[in-house]
Amino acid sequence: MSDSSRETNIRALVGMMNEPDPEFYENFRKALLDVGDEAIPFVDEALRNAAKEEERQRLQDLLNTLRVEGVCRELTAWKAEDEPDLLRGFYWVSKAFYPSLDWEEVRDAFNSLFGDGWQMLDSSTYLRNTIARYNNFFFNICGFSLGPKLSEAYNFADFFLPNILHKRQGNERALALVYHYLAQRNRIPVFMFNLPIVNLLACTTDITLPNKDDVRFCIDITQRGAMVHRMDLEPIFSQKTQIQLCNTLQAMQDYVKLLFLIVNLNEKEPFKKETARRLHLCLGSSPLSAAFSPQPGDNLGEGDWS
């Protein structure tokens, strides 16, 4: 089929979004979903020109579904990579809710931060001194700050890159992802824990040793990177044996799992709840992830994890 014929067919299918018969309408909708990303500009154009509210709603729902399905395809490919890039995964999760988010803008912003950080951190040889310098860079120079804690209030935007890039604000899990990403790019051995501890990161002696037994101290993201001695956490580590360090994929799986659970507790908007569900199904649960079912009012940083 020629490009012009294919475009004609897609436009014809989009034009059927005002079909009154539910069965016919569903067939046309499924056909457009099969077209995939190629249909997005045509649906978007039709949405801008639609006069009837019902047609606009149908087109908006279709457009949302097409975009989310596209993101899930990208995340599936990302998940299969030998060494998935954390920022790229975070970008796709954010793009599911913020479709105008531009990868080049995100990449360039973090490349600039990485360059600035490398100039400041390269000269230090002592791990605690390096973390102290990095905290100054991250919180003071970059201006990253903690929004409402997950255990205290709900702020949907604080989960995603647009808030982090433009307001330099995120909740503790989102900030931990960014902190971890920039630290790792600067060869600082900082790792994410699996879900039970959402406000702490681990610092080991070697970036190639993501092992709980090699943790020398922890970093509290809610206290502007305050360092917590390993011995102070030994009772938690010994009692809660499921606590482990995450690789990139596991960290993103736990992040999306947490997003899915909190959105379902707090959101009324069906699109956000369904999108969070789809992302969670797409990435799956990390085998290290501890099972939990938070309830309204739970303290997600200090709860009784099973």
Side-chain angles (χ1 to χ4, degrees):
M1 183 184 295
S2 68
D3 290 345
S4 60
S5 297
R6 185 169 178 80
E7 178 178 331
T8 299
N9 286 345
I10 295 172
R11 288 188 181 277
L13 286 171
V14 173
M16 295 299 180
M17 285 297 95
N18 59 0
E19 168 61 49
D21 186 287
E23 184 176 350
F24 285 145
Y25 159 70
E26 189 58 31
N27 288 336
F28 295 136
R29 180 180 178 277
K30 288 180 179 178
L32 283 165
L33 290 176
D34 289 339
V35 172
D37 291 349
E38 191 179 353
I40 287 177
F42 300 101
V43 176
D44 193 26
E45 178 186 9
L47 177 60
R48 292 195 301 270
N49 296 324
K52 296 181 179 179
E53 178 59 30
E54 182 180 5
E55 184 181 3
R56 284 198 300 272
Q57 187 59 57
R58 284 181 170 185
L59 288 165
Q60 184 64 67
D61 291 345
L62 175 61
L63 186 61
N64 289 342
T65 302
L66 284 166
R67 285 170 170 164
V68 172
E69 290 300 314
V71 164
C72 287
R73 285 192 294 273
E74 295 290 349
L75 281 173
T76 299
W78 174 84
K79 179 181 176 180
E81 294 174 4
D82 291 336
E83 296 183 4
D85 177 71
L86 179 62
L87 182 62
R88 189 74 172 181
F90 200 2
Y91 163 77
W92 283 117
V93 170
S94 297
K95 192 172 178 67
F97 299 95
Y98 298 88
S100 63
L101 187 63
D102 180 70
W103 166 244
E104 292 187 357
E105 177 189 356
V106 172
R107 180 200 61 198
D108 291 350
F110 277 91
N111 281 343
S112 176
L113 292 175
F114 161 65
D116 293 343
W118 181 84
Q119 293 180 39
M120 291 191 58
L121 300 168
D122 191 49
S123 61
S124 181
T125 56
Y126 296 100
L127 191 53
R128 284 184 175 270
N129 289 348
T130 298
I131 293 297
R133 287 173 179 244
Y134 179 64
N135 284 338
N136 179 60
F137 166 72
F138 189 84
F139 292 103
N140 296 329
I141 296 175
C142 295
F144 289 116
S145 64
L146 180 69
K149 290 184 180 181
L150 291 168
S151 58
E152 297 173 353
Y154 171 70
N155 187 337
F156 178 79
D158 275 356
F159 274 97
F160 304 104
L161 281 171
N163 243 34
I164 290 171
L165 281 177
H166 302 137
K167 293 186 176 182
R168 298 296 171 95
Q169 176 181 299
N171 60 42
E172 54 264 45
R173 196 64 179 183
L175 274 191
L177 285 174
V178 175
Y179 188 103
H180 163 86
Y181 173 76
L182 286 172
Q184 290 261 329
R185 283 199 64 178
N186 282 286
R187 304 298 296 171
I188 305 172
V190 169
F191 297 90
M192 301 282 290
F193 280 109
N194 56 339
L195 197 53
I197 300 178
V198 299
N199 60 313
L200 295 180
L201 297 101
C203 193
T204 68
T205 57
D206 192 324
I207 201 165
T208 63
L209 291 174
N211 188 306
K212 185 171 72 172
D213 293 336
D214 192 56
V215 173
R216 291 298 171 262
F217 57 89
C218 291
I219 299 161
D220 189 341
I221 200 73
T222 67
Q223 299 298 321
R224 296 176 63 82
M227 288 173 266
V228 183
H229 197 278
R230 166 65 188 258
M231 294 303 296
D232 294 334
L233 295 166
E234 198 57 46
I236 299 175
F237 285 166
S238 60
Q239 292 173 20
K240 301 184 182 300
T241 57
Q242 80 277 24
I243 296 176
Q244 301 292 335
L245 304 190
C246 298
N247 62 26
T248 294
L249 174 58
Q250 292 160 352
M252 189 54 63
Q253 286 174 320
D254 277 346
Y255 164 78
V256 171
K257 177 181 179 179
L258 181 66
L259 171 69
F260 165 64
L261 291 167
I262 291 182
V263 163
N264 271 274
L265 281 174
N266 293 280
E267 278 292 340
K268 295 181 180 179
E269 188 176 330
F271 167 71
K272 290 180 180 178
K273 297 177 75 167
E274 174 61 17
T275 299
R277 185 188 73 86
R278 288 287 296 117
L279 294 175
H280 179 44
L281 287 174
C282 174
L283 284 180
S285 290
S286 164
L288 298 180
S289 180
F292 78 113
S293 299
Q295 301 298 319
D298 279 357
N299 187 322
L300 296 174
E302 303 172 2
D304 182 16
W305 304 92
S306 57

